[in-house]
């Protein structure tokens, strides 16, 4: 059994997989950024040690995009769980070709979602990952990482509206029935939600044009649940990153 951990800027997603890639457990936690040594030692002892013992887990596969907590989390996992802990980075997947000016800039989240996508879907592939940032990446016909885009996420855009125009109300992030708002709240919802949907669909269309090919299109990330029913031609895969960590671990065994 394997514990996969996806640490993002806002949330931690933990999924336990059987050796046959069956999901046995999944849970989302808030990413802690204060008093980190005490907090993550407690987190591992109270949340993950139980999982290790209950499912007889042999290893942890970790993706982390928060550099300030990386060493603390890694040490806590090693010390408390006393099993093998692996980081997701390019040293873990040396055969993964990255077509960037500096391949070492590629984050663990991009690597893991790429492996999760390649394991399930035909190439070329476009992955839209909605978290603190909205990221769209592309894998070409050979499975190489061709590049991507990073733009403000839904909550960042919402927070910016309220910060710079403080008289605007706080609103729930839901897709309204009409693209034309009938009041301030629905106008804000339409602007935030449809601009995100149209950005993802529009960027995907541009990538397909640059590839001169139709692509498999995948929607993932914590905030993708808010728009996946309204996004055309995208497959919804909420745990794509964790599935990618499972696939990468198979290469290390």
């Amino acid at each position: 059994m394997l514990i996969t951990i996806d640490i993002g800027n806002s949330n931690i997603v933990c999924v336990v997989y059987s050796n046959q890639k069956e999901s046995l457990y999944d849970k989302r936690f808030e990413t802690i950024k204060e008093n980190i040594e005490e907090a993550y030692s407690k987190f591992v002892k109270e949340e993950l040690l139980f999982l290790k013992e209950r499912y007889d887990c042999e290893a942890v596969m970790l993706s982390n995009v928060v550099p300030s907590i990386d060493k603390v989390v890694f040490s806590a996992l090693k010390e408390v769980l006393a099993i093998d802990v692996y980081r997701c980075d390019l040293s873990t997947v040396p055969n993964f070709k990255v077509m960037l000016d500096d391949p070492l800039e590629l984050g663990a989240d991009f690597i893991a979602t790429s492996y999760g996508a390649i394991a399930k879907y035909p190439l070329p592939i476009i992955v839209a990952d909605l978290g603190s940032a909205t990221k769209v990446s592309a894998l070409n016909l050979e499975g190489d990482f061709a590049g991507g885009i990073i733009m403000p996420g839904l909550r960042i855009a919402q927070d910016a509206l309220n910060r710079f125009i403080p008289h605007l109300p706080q609103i729930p992030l839901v897709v309204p029935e009409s693209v034309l708002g009938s009041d301030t709240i629905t106008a804000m919802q339409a602007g935030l939600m449809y601009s995100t949907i149209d950005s993802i669909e529009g960027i995907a269309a541009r990538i397909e044009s640059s590839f001169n090919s139709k692509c498999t299109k995948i929607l993932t990330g914590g905030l993708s649940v808010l728009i996946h029913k309204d996004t055309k031609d995208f497959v919804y895969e909420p745990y794509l990153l964790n599935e990618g960590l499972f696939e990468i671990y198979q290469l290390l065994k």
Side-chain angles (χ1 to χ4, degrees), residues 4 30 38 74 128 132 147 153 166 172 178 181 184 202 207-208 214 246 252:
T4 63
E30 184 178 352
E38 178 182 352
F74 190 82
S132 297
S178 172
T184 301
I207 294 171
E208 288 182 320
K214 297 295 288 184
F246 176 90
L252 303 175

Side-chain angles (χ1 to χ4, degrees), residues 3-237:
I3 301 174
T4 63
I5 303 174
D6 162 24
I7 301 180
N9 283 288
S10 300
N11 295 110
I12 298 172
V13 180
C14 178
V15 182
V16 176
Y17 290 103
S18 71
N19 294 334
Q20 291 73 42
K21 203 179 177 181
E22 177 188 1
S23 175
L24 304 175
Y25 167 97
D26 64 81
K27 190 172 181 180
R28 184 177 297 271
F29 307 90
E30 184 178 352
T31 302
I32 306 165
K33 297 180 182 177
E34 297 179 354
N35 302 317
I36 58 175
E37 291 192 14
E38 178 182 352
Y40 282 104
S41 177
K42 181 179 180 182
F43 170 73
V44 174
K45 289 175 182 176
E46 294 185 356
E47 299 290 346
L48 302 186
L49 185 58
F50 163 75
L51 296 179
K52 176 216 167 183
E53 294 172 348
R54 177 178 179 180
Y55 297 107
D56 192 24
C57 296
E58 64 188 40
V60 175
M61 193 75 216
L62 172 67
S63 166
N64 175 32
V65 298
V66 188
S68 61
I69 67 172
D70 186 69
K71 290 182 179 179
V72 169
V73 172
F74 190 82
S75 296
L77 291 169
K78 292 280 288 185
E79 292 172 9
V80 176
L81 300 184
I83 55 178
D84 291 332
V85 181
Y86 300 96
R87 286 186 179 94
C88 174
D89 56 34
L90 285 183
S91 68
T92 315
V93 287
N95 295 324
F96 184 44
K97 186 175 180 181
V98 178
M99 299 169 64
L100 301 181
D101 295 338
D102 181 1
L104 293 178
E105 288 187 354
L106 189 65
D109 50 350
F110 283 111
I111 297 170
T113 53
S114 295
Y115 270 80
I118 290 170
K120 295 182 74 171
Y121 295 100
L123 294 160
I125 296 172
I126 295 169
V127 177
D129 184 352
L130 276 69
S132 297
T134 294
K135 297 161 289 186
V136 183
S137 57
L139 299 158
N140 65 20
L141 196 57
E142 289 72 39
D144 306 331
F145 187 89
I149 69 100
I150 302 173
M151 61 185 182
L154 265 170
R155 294 204 188 281
I156 290 176
Q158 180 186 26
D159 290 346
L161 275 177
N162 290 119
R163 177 182 175 187
F164 289 101
I165 313 175
H167 62 270
L168 288 177
Q170 294 285 343
I171 62 168
L173 289 175
V174 296
V175 179
E177 292 184 4
S178 172
V179 70
L180 295 174
S182 58
D183 55 27
T184 301
I185 290 176
T186 55
M188 291 174 66
Q189 288 171 333
L192 289 166
M193 307 307 282
Y194 286 115
S195 66
T196 298
I197 293 167
D198 288 354
S199 293
I200 291 168
E201 292 178 348
I203 289 166
R206 287 179 179 271
I207 294 171
E208 288 182 320
S209 178
S210 72
F211 281 174
N212 195 27
S213 172
K214 297 295 288 184
C215 298
T216 303
K217 290 174 280 191
I218 306 171
L219 194 65
T220 191
L223 295 180
S224 61
V225 66
L226 301 175
I227 66 166
H228 74 93
K229 294 180 180 179
D230 298 277
T231 307
K232 297 177 183 177
D233 301 325
F234 277 76
V235 181
Y236 178 49
E237 290 282 0

